[in-house]
mmCIF file of all heavy atoms in Angstrom:
data_model
loop_
_atom_site.group_PDB
_atom_site.id
_atom_site.type_symbol
_atom_site.label_atom_id
_atom_site.label_comp_id
_atom_site.label_asym_id
_atom_site.label_seq_id
_atom_site.Cartn_x
_atom_site.Cartn_y
_atom_site.Cartn_z
ATOM 1 N N SER C 1 255.871 285.106 242.672
ATOM 2 C CA SER C 1 255.792 283.678 242.371
ATOM 3 C C SER C 1 254.453 283.284 241.780
ATOM 4 O O SER C 1 254.271 282.183 241.322
ATOM 5 C CB SER C 1 256.058 282.853 243.628
ATOM 6 O OG SER C 1 255.043 283.102 244.575
ATOM 7 N N SER C 2 253.529 284.189 241.765
ATOM 8 C CA SER C 2 252.215 283.917 241.190
ATOM 9 C C SER C 2 252.176 284.364 239.740
ATOM 10 O O SER C 2 252.781 285.357 239.356
ATOM 11 C CB SER C 2 251.151 284.669 241.993
ATOM 12 O OG SER C 2 249.919 284.634 241.313
ATOM 13 N N ALA C 3 251.460 283.639 238.891
ATOM 14 C CA ALA C 3 251.306 284.019 237.485
ATOM 15 C C ALA C 3 250.602 285.359 237.374
ATOM 16 O O ALA C 3 250.889 286.150 236.477
ATOM 17 C CB ALA C 3 250.533 282.950 236.716
ATOM 18 N N LEU C 4 249.674 285.647 238.288
ATOM 19 C CA LEU C 4 248.976 286.925 238.252
ATOM 20 C C LEU C 4 249.920 288.076 238.581
ATOM 21 O O LEU C 4 249.831 289.149 238.007
ATOM 22 C CB LEU C 4 247.804 286.912 239.238
ATOM 23 C CG LEU C 4 246.669 285.932 238.917
ATOM 24 C CD1 LEU C 4 245.647 285.935 240.041
ATOM 25 C CD2 LEU C 4 246.027 286.275 237.589
ATOM 26 N N ALA C 5 250.844 287.835 239.501
ATOM 27 C CA ALA C 5 251.773 288.886 239.888
ATOM 28 C C ALA C 5 252.756 289.209 238.775
ATOM 29 O O ALA C 5 253.186 290.339 238.622
ATOM 30 C CB ALA C 5 252.527 288.477 241.153
ATOM 31 N N THR C 6 253.123 288.218 237.988
ATOM 32 C CA THR C 6 254.082 288.455 236.922
ATOM 33 C C THR C 6 253.413 288.871 235.621
ATOM 34 O O THR C 6 254.090 289.230 234.671
ATOM 35 C CB THR C 6 254.915 287.181 236.659
ATOM 36 O OG1 THR C 6 254.033 286.127 236.261
ATOM 37 C CG2 THR C 6 255.712 286.780 237.873
ATOM 38 N N GLY C 7 252.075 288.782 235.573
ATOM 39 C CA GLY C 7 251.370 289.167 234.364
ATOM 40 C C GLY C 7 251.412 288.109 233.275
ATOM 41 O O GLY C 7 251.028 288.356 232.149
ATOM 42 N N ARG C 8 251.890 286.911 233.589
ATOM 43 C CA ARG C 8 251.969 285.828 232.603
ATOM 44 C C ARG C 8 250.650 285.083 232.547
ATOM 45 O O ARG C 8 250.100 284.716 233.556
ATOM 46 C CB ARG C 8 253.078 284.854 232.962
ATOM 47 C CG ARG C 8 254.459 285.438 232.821
ATOM 48 C CD ARG C 8 255.525 284.413 233.065
ATOM 49 N NE ARG C 8 255.333 283.297 232.144
ATOM 50 C CZ ARG C 8 255.805 282.090 232.375
ATOM 51 N NH1 ARG C 8 256.454 281.837 233.475
ATOM 52 N NH2 ARG C 8 255.611 281.125 231.503
ATOM 53 N N ALA C 9 250.162 284.851 231.349
ATOM 54 C CA ALA C 9 248.946 284.081 231.167
ATOM 55 C C ALA C 9 249.257 282.704 230.593
ATOM 56 O O ALA C 9 248.390 281.859 230.525
ATOM 57 C CB ALA C 9 247.991 284.826 230.250
ATOM 58 N N ASP C 10 250.492 282.500 230.157
ATOM 59 C CA ASP C 10 250.884 281.227 229.558
ATOM 60 C C ASP C 10 251.244 280.209 230.627
ATOM 61 O O ASP C 10 251.684 280.550 231.709
ATOM 62 C CB ASP C 10 252.108 281.403 228.650
ATOM 63 C CG ASP C 10 251.821 282.301 227.480
ATOM 64 O OD1 ASP C 10 250.647 282.374 227.066
ATOM 65 O OD2 ASP C 10 252.762 282.929 226.976
ATOM 66 N N ALA C 11 251.074 278.956 230.280
ATOM 67 C CA ALA C 11 251.495 277.883 231.162
ATOM 68 C C ALA C 11 253.018 277.773 231.137
ATOM 69 O O ALA C 11 253.656 278.183 230.160
ATOM 70 C CB ALA C 11 250.875 276.573 230.706
ATOM 71 N N PRO C 12 253.628 277.242 232.172
ATOM 72 C CA PRO C 12 255.076 277.052 232.159
ATOM 73 C C PRO C 12 255.490 276.179 230.971
ATOM 74 O O PRO C 12 254.840 275.190 230.659
ATOM 75 C CB PRO C 12 255.359 276.328 233.480
ATOM 76 C CG PRO C 12 254.194 276.667 234.342
ATOM 77 C CD PRO C 12 253.016 276.828 233.422
ATOM 78 N N GLY C 13 256.539 276.569 230.284
ATOM 79 C CA GLY C 13 257.018 275.827 229.127
ATOM 80 C C GLY C 13 256.287 276.172 227.843
ATOM 81 O O GLY C 13 256.456 275.501 226.841
ATOM 82 N N ALA C 14 255.454 277.205 227.875
ATOM 83 C CA ALA C 14 254.664 277.591 226.700
ATOM 84 C C ALA C 14 255.578 277.938 225.541
ATOM 85 O O ALA C 14 256.700 278.361 225.750
ATOM 86 C CB ALA C 14 253.767 278.772 227.028
ATOM 87 N N PRO C 15 255.261 277.763 224.315
ATOM 88 C CA PRO C 15 253.929 277.422 223.820
ATOM 89 C C PRO C 15 253.642 275.940 223.819
ATOM 90 O O PRO C 15 252.516 275.539 223.580
ATOM 91 C CB PRO C 15 253.937 277.946 222.396
ATOM 92 C CG PRO C 15 255.345 277.790 221.947
ATOM 93 C CD PRO C 15 256.176 278.029 223.195
ATOM 94 N N GLY C 16 254.601 275.096 224.077
ATOM 95 C CA GLY C 16 254.338 273.667 224.127
ATOM 96 C C GLY C 16 254.325 273.041 222.744
ATOM 97 O O GLY C 16 254.673 273.664 221.754
ATOM 98 N N VAL C 17 253.894 271.819 222.702
ATOM 99 C CA VAL C 17 253.868 271.060 221.459
ATOM 100 C C VAL C 17 252.487 271.188 220.831
ATOM 101 O O VAL C 17 251.470 271.139 221.525
ATOM 102 C CB VAL C 17 254.189 269.570 221.740
ATOM 103 C CG1 VAL C 17 254.122 268.749 220.476
ATOM 104 C CG2 VAL C 17 255.549 269.443 222.383
ATOM 105 N N ALA C 18 252.450 271.340 219.528
ATOM 106 C CA ALA C 18 251.175 271.439 218.827
ATOM 107 C C ALA C 18 250.399 270.123 218.947
ATOM 108 O O ALA C 18 250.986 269.050 218.978
ATOM 109 C CB ALA C 18 251.413 271.762 217.360
ATOM 110 N N SER C 19 249.097 270.237 219.018
ATOM 111 C CA SER C 19 248.246 269.065 219.111
ATOM 112 C C SER C 19 248.309 268.260 217.828
ATOM 113 O O SER C 19 248.391 268.806 216.734
ATOM 114 C CB SER C 19 246.805 269.502 219.363
ATOM 115 O OG SER C 19 245.940 268.407 219.292
ATOM 116 N N ASP C 20 248.284 266.939 217.960
ATOM 117 C CA ASP C 20 248.300 266.097 216.768
ATOM 118 C C ASP C 20 246.997 265.328 216.603
ATOM 119 O O ASP C 20 246.929 264.350 215.882
ATOM 120 C CB ASP C 20 249.488 265.145 216.778
ATOM 121 C CG ASP C 20 249.432 264.161 217.932
ATOM 122 O OD1 ASP C 20 248.614 264.336 218.835
ATOM 123 O OD2 ASP C 20 250.212 263.207 217.916
ATOM 124 N N TRP C 21 245.953 265.763 217.274
ATOM 125 C CA TRP C 21 244.663 265.108 217.157
ATOM 126 C C TRP C 21 243.877 265.700 216.004
ATOM 127 O O TRP C 21 243.902 266.893 215.762
ATOM 128 C CB TRP C 21 243.851 265.267 218.444
ATOM 129 C CG TRP C 21 244.478 264.553 219.583
ATOM 130 C CD1 TRP C 21 245.235 265.103 220.574
ATOM 131 C CD2 TRP C 21 244.442 263.157 219.837
ATOM 132 N NE1 TRP C 21 245.669 264.131 221.437
ATOM 133 C CE2 TRP C 21 245.193 262.926 221.008
ATOM 134 C CE3 TRP C 21 243.853 262.078 219.195
ATOM 135 C CZ2 TRP C 21 245.362 261.665 221.541
ATOM 136 C CZ3 TRP C 21 244.021 260.825 219.743
ATOM 137 C CH2 TRP C 21 244.765 260.631 220.905
ATOM 138 N N VAL C 22 243.161 264.872 215.315
ATOM 139 C CA VAL C 22 242.274 265.343 214.252
ATOM 140 C C VAL C 22 240.889 265.543 214.847
ATOM 141 O O VAL C 22 240.605 265.118 215.963
ATOM 142 C CB VAL C 22 242.234 264.355 213.061
ATOM 143 C CG1 VAL C 22 243.594 264.259 212.412
ATOM 144 C CG2 VAL C 22 241.763 262.997 213.475
ATOM 145 N N THR C 23 240.043 266.189 214.104
ATOM 146 C CA THR C 23 238.713 266.493 214.597
ATOM 147 C C THR C 23 237.922 265.219 214.907
ATOM 148 O O THR C 23 238.135 264.177 214.285
ATOM 149 C CB THR C 23 237.952 267.347 213.569
ATOM 150 O OG1 THR C 23 236.645 267.602 214.082
ATOM 151 C CG2 THR C 23 237.809 266.637 212.242
ATOM 152 N N GLY C 24 237.020 265.297 215.839
ATOM 153 C CA GLY C 24 236.186 264.159 216.192
ATOM 154 C C GLY C 24 234.948 264.047 215.317
ATOM 155 O O GLY C 24 234.159 263.122 215.452
ATOM 156 N N ASP C 25 234.760 264.996 214.422
ATOM 157 C CA ASP C 25 233.597 265.019 213.532
ATOM 158 C C ASP C 25 233.831 264.067 212.362
ATOM 159 O O ASP C 25 234.259 264.470 211.296
ATOM 160 C CB ASP C 25 233.375 266.444 213.044
ATOM 161 C CG ASP C 25 232.129 266.587 212.200
ATOM 162 O OD1 ASP C 25 231.251 265.718 212.291
ATOM 163 O OD2 ASP C 25 232.039 267.563 211.449
ATOM 164 N N LYS C 26 233.553 262.801 212.573
ATOM 165 C CA LYS C 26 233.822 261.769 211.557
ATOM 166 C C LYS C 26 232.587 261.526 210.701
ATOM 167 O O LYS C 26 231.465 261.560 211.174
ATOM 168 C CB LYS C 26 234.227 260.451 212.210
ATOM 169 C CG LYS C 26 235.433 260.556 213.114
ATOM 170 C CD LYS C 26 236.664 260.899 212.345
ATOM 171 C CE LYS C 26 237.852 260.885 213.273
ATOM 172 N NZ LYS C 26 238.811 261.868 212.991
ATOM 173 N N ALA C 27 232.825 261.264 209.425
ATOM 174 C CA ALA C 27 231.742 260.925 208.504
ATOM 175 C C ALA C 27 231.592 259.416 208.374
ATOM 176 O O ALA C 27 230.561 258.931 207.925
ATOM 177 C CB ALA C 27 232.008 261.544 207.134
ATOM 178 N N GLY C 28 232.614 258.670 208.749
ATOM 179 C CA GLY C 28 232.526 257.221 208.633
ATOM 180 C C GLY C 28 233.660 256.512 209.331
ATOM 181 O O GLY C 28 234.681 257.118 209.672
ATOM 182 N N PHE C 29 233.452 255.239 209.557
ATOM 183 C CA PHE C 29 234.427 254.381 210.210
ATOM 184 C C PHE C 29 234.308 253.010 209.560
ATOM 185 O O PHE C 29 233.198 252.548 209.316
ATOM 186 C CB PHE C 29 234.122 254.293 211.714
ATOM 187 C CG PHE C 29 235.094 253.451 212.478
ATOM 188 C CD1 PHE C 29 236.268 254.004 212.934
ATOM 189 C CD2 PHE C 29 234.844 252.118 212.737
ATOM 190 C CE1 PHE C 29 237.185 253.237 213.644
ATOM 191 C CE2 PHE C 29 235.742 251.343 213.443
ATOM 192 C CZ PHE C 29 236.914 251.911 213.896
ATOM 193 N N GLY C 30 235.422 252.370 209.237
ATOM 194 C CA GLY C 30 235.301 251.092 208.560
ATOM 195 C C GLY C 30 236.495 250.191 208.727
ATOM 196 O O GLY C 30 237.512 250.565 209.301
ATOM 197 N N THR C 31 236.330 248.992 208.188
ATOM 198 C CA THR C 31 237.373 247.981 208.171
ATOM 199 C C THR C 31 237.081 247.041 207.003
ATOM 200 O O THR C 31 236.110 247.246 206.274
ATOM 201 C CB THR C 31 237.441 247.210 209.510
ATOM 202 O OG1 THR C 31 238.592 246.384 209.516
ATOM 203 C CG2 THR C 31 236.206 246.382 209.746
ATOM 204 N N ALA C 32 237.881 246.016 206.846
ATOM 205 C CA ALA C 32 237.659 245.037 205.779
ATOM 206 C C ALA C 32 236.418 244.200 206.104
ATOM 207 O O ALA C 32 235.980 244.126 207.251
ATOM 208 C CB ALA C 32 238.875 244.140 205.630
ATOM 209 N N ARG C 33 235.887 243.565 205.102
ATOM 210 C CA ARG C 33 234.694 242.738 205.308
ATOM 211 C C ARG C 33 235.000 241.465 206.084
ATOM 212 O O ARG C 33 234.165 240.975 206.830
ATOM 213 C CB ARG C 33 234.088 242.378 203.955
ATOM 214 C CG ARG C 33 233.484 243.585 203.276
ATOM 215 C CD ARG C 33 232.870 243.234 201.968
ATOM 216 N NE ARG C 33 231.695 242.375 202.206
ATOM 217 C CZ ARG C 33 230.850 242.016 201.274
ATOM 218 N NH1 ARG C 33 231.058 242.417 200.026
ATOM 219 N NH2 ARG C 33 229.825 241.257 201.553
ATOM 220 N N GLY C 34 236.198 240.937 205.925
ATOM 221 C CA GLY C 34 236.564 239.706 206.622
ATOM 222 C C GLY C 34 236.968 239.981 208.063
ATOM 223 O O GLY C 34 237.281 241.099 208.456
ATOM 224 N N THR C 35 236.992 238.944 208.863
ATOM 225 C CA THR C 35 237.341 239.093 210.283
ATOM 226 C C THR C 35 238.842 239.021 210.537
ATOM 227 O O THR C 35 239.293 239.294 211.647
ATOM 228 C CB THR C 35 236.646 238.000 211.115
ATOM 229 O OG1 THR C 35 237.047 236.721 210.613
ATOM 230 C CG2 THR C 35 235.141 238.139 211.050
ATOM 231 N N ALA C 36 239.623 238.680 209.527
ATOM 232 C CA ALA C 36 241.067 238.540 209.716
ATOM 233 C C ALA C 36 241.797 239.892 209.682
ATOM 234 O O ALA C 36 242.930 239.995 210.139
ATOM 235 C CB ALA C 36 241.655 237.631 208.638
ATOM 236 N N SER C 37 241.162 240.936 209.169
ATOM 237 C CA SER C 37 241.812 242.239 209.040
ATOM 238 C C SER C 37 242.048 242.886 210.399
ATOM 239 O O SER C 37 241.195 242.835 211.282
ATOM 240 C CB SER C 37 240.957 243.174 208.185
ATOM 241 O OG SER C 37 241.557 244.458 208.132
ATOM 242 N N LYS C 38 243.226 243.496 210.534
ATOM 243 C CA LYS C 38 243.546 244.266 211.732
ATOM 244 C C LYS C 38 243.731 245.734 211.377
ATOM 245 O O LYS C 38 244.434 246.462 212.049
ATOM 246 C CB LYS C 38 244.815 243.722 212.389
ATOM 247 C CG LYS C 38 244.618 242.367 212.984
ATOM 248 C CD LYS C 38 245.843 241.949 213.749
ATOM 249 C CE LYS C 38 245.623 240.590 214.376
ATOM 250 N NZ LYS C 38 246.746 240.176 215.178
ATOM 251 N N VAL C 39 243.091 246.172 210.299
ATOM 252 C CA VAL C 39 243.187 247.554 209.848
ATOM 253 C C VAL C 39 241.799 248.183 209.916
ATOM 254 O O VAL C 39 240.826 247.622 209.424
ATOM 255 C CB VAL C 39 243.724 247.640 208.398
ATOM 256 C CG1 VAL C 39 243.765 249.082 207.927
ATOM 257 C CG2 VAL C 39 245.097 247.013 208.307
ATOM 258 N N TRP C 40 241.718 249.359 210.554
ATOM 259 C CA TRP C 40 240.488 250.133 210.618
ATOM 260 C C TRP C 40 240.797 251.533 210.126
ATOM 261 O O TRP C 40 241.941 251.967 210.135
ATOM 262 C CB TRP C 40 239.972 250.200 212.060
ATOM 263 C CG TRP C 40 239.649 248.865 212.643
ATOM 264 C CD1 TRP C 40 238.441 248.240 212.620
ATOM 265 C CD2 TRP C 40 240.532 247.994 213.341
ATOM 266 N NE1 TRP C 40 238.520 247.028 213.260
ATOM 267 C CE2 TRP C 40 239.798 246.851 213.718
ATOM 268 C CE3 TRP C 40 241.883 248.055 213.682
ATOM 269 C CZ2 TRP C 40 240.355 245.795 214.417
ATOM 270 C CZ3 TRP C 40 242.434 247.003 214.378
ATOM 271 C CH2 TRP C 40 241.682 245.892 214.741
#
């Protein structure tokens, strides 16, 4: 019943869903000049 006993290194349900996050290394962040914009 142990992962070590079965030789499995994967988590249950592996391989799972691929990550959809982009890198955190951003070069810039912006929005419109006016205050009415809700887009960034």
Side-chain angles (χ1 to χ4, degrees):
S1 64
S2 169
L4 295 175
T6 61
R8 292 185 57 202
D10 297 333
V17 178
S19 173
D20 63 349
W21 294 101
V22 296
T23 179
D25 184 20
K26 303 294 184 216
F29 181 85
T31 189
R33 291 181 67 172
T35 58
S37 177
K38 291 186 179 183
V39 178
W40 299 268

